[in-house]
Amino acid sequence: MQDHGGNLDIAIARFGGPAEDWIDLSTGINRGSYPVGEVPARRWRALPSRTDLEALHGAARQAYATKAPVAVLGGVQAAIQLLPYLTRPGRARILGPTYNEYAPTLDAAGWQVQETSDLDALAGVDLAVVVNPNNPDGRRHDPKALLVLASRVGRLVVDESFVDAVPGLSLAPEAGRKGLLVLRSFGKFYGLAGLRLGFVLGSEADVAAFAAMAGPWPVSGAAIEIGQRALLDRDWAAETTARLAHASLRLDDLALDAGWRLVGGTPLFRLYSVGDAIAAQARLAGARIWSRVFGSQPGWLRLGLPGNETEWTRLAAALRST
Amino acid sequence: MQDHGGNLDIAIARFGGPAEDWIDLSTGINRGSYPVGEVPARRWRALPSRTDLEALHGAARQAYATKAPVAVLGGVQAAIQLLPYLTRPGRARILGPTYNEYAPTLDAAGWQVQETSDLDALAGVDLAVVVNPNNPDGRRHDPKALLVLASRVGRLVVDESFVDAVPGLSLAPEAGRKGLLVLRSFGKFYGLAGLRLGFVLGSEADVAAFAAMAGPWPVSGAAIEIGQRALLDRDWAAETTARLAHASLRLDDLALDAGWRLVGGTPLFRLYSVGDAIAAQARLAGARIWSRVFGSQPGWLRLGLPGNETEWTRLAAALRST
């Protein structure tokens, strides 16, 4: 079991307090969620039909500006779980440091896995993984450079879990060509991680292989209902993109005032160099604000964005006292 | 893609009519669903935590009268999707005819798969699959005989998707011993198939392997919330078991009056020998009632149970005119 953000039960076990007192900024999940609305009874009761899934695929294609084949899965994590079985195990390289599930999941299924911090060093392998923009440091890669890389590996996985708020960076419009797999998360930008929804965009054959591995009912009826509604709501996406861009700069200002240095980030989270991150996390936890630290990088602390003015006020106060 | 019940879009494409006019009896999903109730905002927004999952595991253990290790998955189908990867491919035998996803899913992942109708012929293989009670014919196996079989194969999968209403048949209390895997569906008995929820009960090592393959967030927050509430509601389960037992006999009476013969069934569905099943399905479809037929058995028609008196009246009328 890897360490993840969103593990508020660990925060409560260590620092106490009821769950509702905590502001969980340990993830990059948008705290200004898309409104869930009503879920009709049939979505709970009936098995999702092919027609239901195809309508959701259509909504995803529209939101992601692509005509590529699409498979729906229970989040990008579900795609990562299946990735090792897409082909026979071979050599995989991951551009790191990055999201910590790729390496152990591939390794456990018999892949030879290396992590490298050099994009060019990915060339030549059977499977290359790039998270763009990267988590946790926000590192970005030119889509054109990634397309060149895609032609030099067996398969290139571009994990775009955090791309929604920087859509110009997305390779979704180029998906469909052989060897390129684009993973899109629903839950982070739409602030509905509990829904478990994500998409794989790729070649006809690869998408069919994911769909076959996921089976006939890969996500819940509620995920189809709410996901489809949200993906088709381009006004909400545009307003949210603008709001997050502004809010991430606001967070940087507070962090700078606290003496922290921005390492990087996306409009959904910011990574700061804070000196002793464990100590900084504990100070924030004293104010019931949960953050993410990284064992391998003792100076790094990652913060998601507060969701309303009450949360901003509490965070500002906590940062002033650190 | 296998043929399944619950594919109402196919019925509509062939026979017309708006979806809301149809009574879908093509599955064994209880049409008297457990009430969904409220889903708190955090279940939609936050990633399910370890604590959330453990609470759900506890509820499942209580409902299934077991102390065995439990892994939660997005339905029994999700367990079937992962089953081929639990160990290296070897020889699998399936007691058939039965649910049509086991054979192709194992076969696609490199297993040597045979179907047999003789329970004893399962002995000696690496992986044996028995659905108890069986779908679609309701065939039942003595749990004691299955325990003996479990000791004579590498692993015995007992798919108990339809056991909730005949709980004395369940091997869940015996789960935990090496080589026995019990699969439990949530959606069928509770009438919430769209939730995508199911469980694997087995040895510590096997359950850990399923949990690792499913990843840290195997089901939605709504599935955890509603599933936990439903599994702990033993009064509803007892009332529903009694209601289904009565309703299944009522359905048999109607079918007998229509000149059909009972092949077998469970309290959630009945299988009849009807002569020309395709023709019988079409006649029911004329009354906007959808049923399940089986390509390999041209005389068989399976019906789920109507959910209310309006549905019973329409079904009775349709059966009188066949």
Side-chain angles (χ1 to χ4, degrees), chain A residues 1 4-6 8-9 27 29 31 33 36 39 43-52 74 77 81-82 85 99 101 191-196 212-222 226, chain B residues 1 4-6 8-9 27 29 31 33 36 39 43-52 74 77 81-82 85 99 101 191-196 212-222 226:
Chain A
M1 187 61 58
H4 289 291
L8 199 59
D9 41 359
T27 77
I29 300 164
R31 291 179 68 80
S33 300
V36 167
V39 178
R43 297 292 196 181
W44 298 113
R45 293 179 183 174
L47 288 165
S49 71
R50 294 308 309 163
T51 311
D52 294 337
Q77 183 64 40
Q81 299 293 145
L82 297 177
Y85 306 106
Y99 183 57
E101 285 281 347
L192 296 170
L195 206 56
R196 306 316 304 137
M213 288 190 290
W217 308 292
V219 297
S220 68
I226 298 165
Chain B
M1 189 59 60
H4 289 291
L8 199 58
D9 40 359
T27 75
I29 300 163
R31 290 179 69 79
S33 302
V36 167
V39 178
R43 297 290 197 182
W44 299 112
R45 293 180 184 174
L47 288 166
S49 71
R50 293 309 308 163
T51 311
D52 293 337
Q77 183 64 42
Q81 300 293 145
L82 297 177
Y85 307 106
Y99 183 56
E101 287 280 345
L192 296 172
L195 207 56
R196 309 312 306 136
M213 288 191 289
W217 309 292
V219 297
S220 68
I226 298 165

